[in-house]
Amino acid sequence: MINLEILAIPKDDPVAFTFFTGYMAMMAASIFFFFERSRVSDKWKLSLLVSALITFIAAVHYYYMRDYYLATGENPTALRYIDWTLTVPLMCVEFYLLTKAAGASKSLMWKLIIASVWMLVFGYIGEAFNPEGGSTMHSVIYGFLSTLGYIYVLYSAWMGEVAKLADSSNNPAIKKSVRILAWFVLVGWAIYPIGYMCMPGGWLNISLGWNSSNVDLFYNIADAINKIGFGLVVYSLAIGQTHSDKNLQTA
Ligand SMILES: *C/C=C(C)/C=C/C=C(C)/C=C/C1=C(C)CCCC1(C)C
């Protein structure tokens, strides 16, 4: 028999609603970034492809996460972290591609990738292996370890290598875009640890009574902001640079 529950979006369930709209938004964004590649100059095509891959990988995971959530009513933790382990390193690749012209090395790219994977591995242990009922000790230890990776990326984007390379690029458009991406990492990425702390045993779970169904709400909203937002920043930079290159040629 077909389980109709998983075909309908319960109208009083905001989590299910954001899984569905998140899926649609990611899919639409992927198609947009992919087709817009033909409008930017060659040196920006790879950046746009990476933007499209980030939202496309997320769209596929949302398709499965939505079904998982509707069928079980539980957090699709494993699918969530598989998605992030593929897409967050790709967001780090965007930083590398944007600063490459200013001399960014492959080692910078790998450092950011390793820091982000570190962040996600400990976050996964913190969420998936927390004993039944939720241990605050477990949540805090792995939350803390995970945050170290987050701080590394944050530091690099604001004050470390990425920021310095953007400054030395002598290109105000690149500087501005890297700064906007750094704001995404500071504000948009900060939504995730808030969601994490809603899990049983987490600080917000204990202090405010926020629960695991909130976690997906936080994650879904944050994913849409960050993945599509990152892509749009890269897109508008690429379009802007393509136009100014053309103007230089015709001048
Ligand atoms: C597209 C997905 C993105 C940008 C995911 C980002 C995820 C984070 C920044 C997660 C951070 C976490 C901490 C800093 C501590 C608690 C555990 C995490 C993994 C939720």
Side-chain angles (χ1 to χ4, degrees):
M1 210 182 83
I2 300 170
N3 182 356
L4 286 174
E5 282 280 291
I6 67 166
L7 297 175
I9 303 296
K11 59 182 179 305
D12 52 356
D13 185 343
V15 177
F17 179 79
T18 53
F19 270 123
F20 187 80
T21 46
Y23 167 60
M24 223 43 253
M26 297 291 184
M27 194 48 103
S30 315
I31 294 171
F32 177 77
F33 294 138
F34 191 74
F35 278 94
E36 286 295 306
R37 277 180 78 244
S38 62
R39 296 217 297 138
V40 303
S41 58
D42 283 353
K43 63 178 177 209
W44 292 102
K45 287 198 192 321
L46 184 57
S47 304
L48 247 68
L49 181 63
V50 174
S51 294
L53 284 177
I54 291 170
T55 50
F56 182 72
I57 293 168
V60 173
H61 284 85
Y62 268 72
Y63 180 83
Y64 289 106
M65 287 196 289
R66 186 196 57 177
D67 281 356
Y68 182 97
Y69 174 79
L70 288 175
T72 66
E74 284 172 19
N75 316 119
T77 309
L79 282 166
R80 176 79 72 185
Y81 276 85
I82 296 170
D83 170 349
W84 289 352
T85 310
L86 297 168
T87 52
V88 181
L90 284 174
M91 296 170 99
C92 296
V93 171
E94 293 280 32
F95 274 121
Y96 163 71
L97 291 175
L98 256 56
T99 48
K100 202 171 139 201
S105 61
K106 279 267 163 57
S107 86
L108 166 64
M109 183 184 86
W110 284 111
K111 280 187 274 185
L112 293 173
I113 290 175
I114 289 166
S116 65
V117 171
W118 168 289
M119 170 180 93
L120 296 171
V121 167
F122 287 111
Y124 183 69
I125 299 172
E127 274 192 43
F129 298 103
N130 201 341
E132 200 69 44
S135 143
T136 299
M137 186 72 134
H138 181 96
S139 170
V140 171
I141 289 174
Y142 290 101
F144 172 78
L145 286 169
S146 168
T147 302
L148 297 177
Y150 173 47
I151 288 174
Y152 183 87
V153 179
L154 190 64
Y155 176 81
S156 185
W158 278 91
M159 287 174 275
E161 256 181 281
V162 169
K164 285 181 191 142
L165 283 164
D167 277 343
S168 69
S169 72
N170 282 327
N171 182 334
I174 290 189
K175 238 166 103 171
K176 190 173 144 221
S177 301
V178 167
R179 185 41 65 96
I180 300 174
L181 293 185
W183 273 107
F184 271 99
V185 176
L186 179 66
V187 180
W189 289 27
I191 304 170
Y192 299 97
I194 296 176
Y196 174 90
M197 289 187 283
C198 296
M199 303 291 292
W203 279 345
L204 292 175
N205 181 272
I206 294 165
S207 58
L208 301 176
W210 293 358
N211 56 56
S212 352
S213 76
N214 293 119
V215 76
D216 285 305
L217 202 55
F218 279 106
Y219 289 170
N220 291 352
I221 292 169
D223 273 0
I225 294 173
N226 290 306
K227 293 184 166 61
I228 300 172
F230 242 66
L232 286 174
V233 172
V234 172
Y235 167 72
S236 62
L237 174 67
I239 286 281
Q241 294 295 98
T242 302
H243 287 318
S244 58
D245 285 354
K246 276 195 190 131
N247 290 342
L248 276 180
Q249 278 163 15
T250 53

